[in-house]
Amino acid sequence: MAITIKKSSKEVEGLIRRVEEISGVDLNLCYQCKKCTSGCPVAKMTESPPSEIMRRLLLGAGDELLGSDIIWACVSCETCSARCPMGIEVAAVMDALRILALEKKAEKQEGNVPLFNRAFLSTVRLFGRTYDIAMIAAYKLGTLKLMNDTEKFPTMLKKRKIALLPPTGADRKTARRIFKKTKQNKAGKE
Amino acid sequence: MKYAYYPGCSAHSTARDMHESALAVAGALGLDLIEPAGWTCCGATAAHQTDPVLAASLPTASLLKVRDMGLDMVVNCAACYNRMKVANHEVSTDPAMRKKVSDAVGRDYDGSVKVRHIVEVLLEDVGLDAIKNSIKQSLNGLQVACYYGCLLVRPHEVTNFDDPENPTSLDRLVTAMGGVSLDWPHKVECCGGGLSMSRTDIVVSLTDSIVGMAKAAGARCIAVSCPMCQINLDMRQQDIEKQTGTRHDIPVLYVTQLLGLCLGISPDRLGLKKLMVSPASVIEKIEVHANG
Ligand code: SF4
Ligand code: SF4
């Protein structure tokens, strides 16, 4: 397939170097065998499969790569990393791209994965453990897709698959400390 | 045999049945599972996708509590198991990460707590012979597709669980219970894991292919060991039917639920009522044999 790359030397340098820095991966090792793509469960559903992302990064792609749909379709299954004959942690490259996409506020963030992650983590920060109802409410309000999956809630409640009361017994103090410190740590870097 | 048992958050919500069946089976086999006081969430996919230091620090908080107990940590949830092992790996191999983590948690941690999946404990510490001897009711030739998903087997250099492409741990347990474990190609495919709510489209498509393949291989039920796999494969069968018209109707049980049934534990104590696709056919198969 044809790969188009916008080359703007400043961004170019930045993206590949930042990806290597965050992921610890040497992108030069990739020799385009496409084994990562063959095993990737979401490759068929996305415009740019993992091997193409690797190639584009190497060819000097800039910030526009952060709009690739696979970044938020990737299910972190690590099949790509497990099967790469060069031992490249392709999944770590995906992690790095997600982090950069959030950092640079790339526009296309399909399916609200970041919003779900925030909703999830905010309950952990408050309670030390996840709290379904609060997490679902925060996520649903954020996406405004209130009706998705709601037909399952009555059954799930009946089967006690959703906890109504907040979790108790967690060491909330340590959890809060971890969130506070890692936030400071991140802020200090930027 | 005493262990520090980390239930994980889903033990009190979507996967109460995973938790209840693990405790019931452990009790029947003489395993003493002690919950570490104050354990906190492992951070799951959300932390992993957000910040590497946060992702290593959250599991460390609980690992430290287990270190204080001087026991091995036993985990049933494959996702928690994976996060614990990754955290251990990171702090023990990356001194800079260890420093950041100890700063966040407030205590230094060297990554030394041994983390084991309950399936490993069943196979290695209890052993197949002892399990066979404890079994009261056989699976009676029930055809089971054992599904491992991602988190137990990958990354293999970190989890070191079984064979990463063709694991057989669950299969060996099922065979010991008198079931027929099937050879099928989707043992380690991904179900979409943590994207169940945020990318339901992807999850429905992946689970359709997994459950469909299990059925094509002749499965009467799927055995799992991960709460995300369980809820995706079980609950999404409704969505698959709505979207494609195909009704798979394959019950998805935790391996500890199957084992519990074979040990003669009542379906209620194993949380079988919590399954979305009814496991009645599985229970019937076991009971017919027991009574006949
Ligand atoms: S499997 Fe490895 S070497 Fe092959 S294309 Fe993917 S990243 Fe490159
Ligand atoms: S980790 Fe992501 S990119 Fe790699 S195979 Fe899985 S879904 Fe594809």
Side-chain angles (χ1 to χ4, degrees):
Chain A
M1 91 225 80
I3 297 176
T4 340
I5 293 165
K6 272 191 236 147
K7 204 158 182 170
S8 89
S9 57
K10 217 172 97 235
E11 276 176 3
V12 167
E13 273 293 302
L15 200 48
I16 184 165
R17 223 186 308 122
R18 287 296 317 276
V19 168
E20 291 195 326
E21 197 181 280
I22 300 172
S23 65
V25 162
D26 180 357
L27 284 151
N28 285 299
L29 290 174
C30 171
Y31 67 143
Q32 284 296 297
C33 68
K34 300 194 172 63
K35 220 173 159 191
C36 50
T37 296
S38 317
C40 173
V42 301
K44 283 197 301 271
M45 307 171 212
T46 50
E47 283 162 22
S48 311
S51 53
E52 189 185 311
I53 296 288
M54 298 297 286
R55 194 67 190 148
R56 285 169 65 185
L57 278 167
L58 247 184
L59 290 176
D63 283 0
E64 80 284 355
L65 191 77
L66 299 175
S68 304
D69 54 355
I70 193 164
I71 295 181
W72 301 110
C74 165
V75 286
S76 300
C77 69
E78 308 241 2
T79 310
C80 47
S81 307
R83 296 188 183 161
C84 172
M86 297 305 287
I88 301 173
E89 295 275 352
V90 188
V93 172
M94 294 296 163
D95 286 339
L97 290 173
R98 273 187 285 269
I99 290 168
L100 287 172
L102 286 180
E103 203 181 283
K104 304 201 175 190
K105 305 206 170 29
E107 262 165 39
K108 205 161 134 201
Q109 287 173 9
E110 302 267 349
N112 291 298
V113 178
L115 182 69
F116 177 78
N117 288 349
R118 277 201 301 278
F120 182 103
L121 291 174
S122 68
T123 69
V124 179
R125 180 166 44 85
L126 289 173
F127 301 105
R129 293 178 195 160
T130 55
Y131 178 25
D132 304 332
I133 292 283
M135 177 172 88
I136 294 167
Y139 177 67
K140 293 259 164 208
L141 286 173
T143 55
L144 296 174
K145 280 193 209 153
L146 293 172
M147 298 322 285
N148 275 12
D149 277 343
T150 38
E151 82 283 358
K152 298 202 180 67
F153 287 172
T155 329
M156 292 189 73
L157 283 173
K158 208 175 97 209
K159 290 181 182 275
R160 289 172 73 216
K161 274 177 172 292
I162 298 179
L164 285 173
L165 297 173
T168 52
D171 176 354
R172 295 182 182 179
K173 226 176 99 201
T174 305
R176 278 185 205 167
R177 181 195 158 102
I178 291 171
F179 277 93
K180 208 171 127 205
K181 289 275 177 183
T182 46
K183 204 172 158 196
Q184 284 169 357
N185 186 326
K186 254 182 137 176
K189 259 194 305 191
E190 272 154 23
Chain B
M1 287 177 276
K2 264 192 192 174
Y3 305 88
Y5 166 69
Y6 179 86
C9 298
S10 61
H12 299 293
S13 61
T14 50
R16 235 173 238 278
D17 43 349
M18 170 190 78
H19 178 59
E20 288 166 0
S21 60
L23 294 183
V25 163
L29 295 172
L31 303 172
D32 196 359
L33 304 184
I34 308 161
E35 212 172 298
W39 62 267
T40 43
C41 173
C42 73
T45 314
H48 166 215
Q49 290 191 341
T50 307
D51 173 8
V53 182
L54 180 67
S57 301
L58 285 170
T60 296
S62 300
L63 285 161
L64 276 165
K65 294 189 194 308
V66 172
R67 191 179 66 178
D68 294 343
M69 296 164 79
L71 298 170
D72 285 359
M73 178 193 263
V74 173
V75 192
N76 197 354
C77 168
C80 301
Y81 170 79
N82 187 288
R83 295 322 308 164
M84 294 294 165
K85 284 220 150 170
V86 171
N88 263 349
H89 180 78
E90 303 224 309
V91 297
S92 61
T93 56
D94 180 350
M97 180 60 98
R98 177 168 169 178
K99 215 178 143 275
K100 283 183 204 154
V101 169
S102 65
D103 179 49
V105 182
R107 277 175 75 189
D108 183 48
Y109 176 57
D110 57 359
S112 61
V113 170
K114 196 162 178 206
V115 176
R116 305 173 68 199
H117 192 267
I118 198 156
V119 167
E120 293 174 306
V121 170
L122 288 172
L123 285 170
E124 292 159 17
D125 297 8
V126 181
L128 288 175
D129 287 338
I131 290 175
K132 273 186 208 154
N133 290 335
S134 320
I135 275 170
K136 302 207 171 77
Q137 302 171 171
S138 154
L139 284 183
N140 194 23
L142 182 77
Q143 296 192 305
V144 184
C146 295
Y147 175 70
Y148 299 78
C150 310
L151 294 160
L152 288 177
V153 291
R154 288 186 293 266
H156 187 59
E157 45 314 344
V158 174
T159 65
N160 212 3
F161 182 94
D162 207 331
D163 180 300
E165 292 289 351
N166 186 21
T168 54
S169 299
L170 297 176
D171 297 79
R172 278 177 274 150
L173 285 172
V174 163
T175 312
M177 293 177 224
V180 173
S181 87
L182 299 166
D183 211 2
W184 68 305
H186 283 21
K187 279 183 169 181
V188 295
E189 289 293 307
C190 179
C191 71
L195 301 191
S196 193
M197 275 183 75
S198 47
R199 289 301 302 266
T200 311
D201 54 330
I202 292 178
V203 172
V204 170
S205 147
L206 297 178
T207 47
D208 185 24
S209 112
I210 294 164
V211 179
M213 183 58 81
K215 199 164 187 182
R220 304 294 302 274
C221 88
I222 299 177
V224 296
S225 205
C226 167
M228 293 198 289
C229 299
Q230 199 284 333
I231 199 155
N232 280 338
L233 296 189
D234 184 17
M235 189 175 80
R236 295 297 169 200
Q237 287 186 42
Q238 268 180 34
D239 302 84
I240 296 167
E241 187 178 352
K242 235 188 274 164
Q243 287 177 24
T244 68
T246 312
R247 188 186 164 90
H248 293 304
D249 209 15
I250 301 250
V252 183
L253 283 82
Y254 291 103
V255 74
T256 41
Q257 289 178 312
L258 279 176
L259 181 54
L261 286 171
C262 293
L263 292 170
I265 301 166
S266 78
D268 276 0
R269 278 187 61 211
L270 299 167
L272 284 166
K273 282 201 184 119
K274 301 195 193 318
L275 303 183
M276 298 297 234
V277 176
S278 161
S281 55
V282 173
I283 299 173
E284 210 174 288
K285 180 104 177 161
I286 297 171
E287 281 174 355
V288 164
H289 179 72
N291 301 332

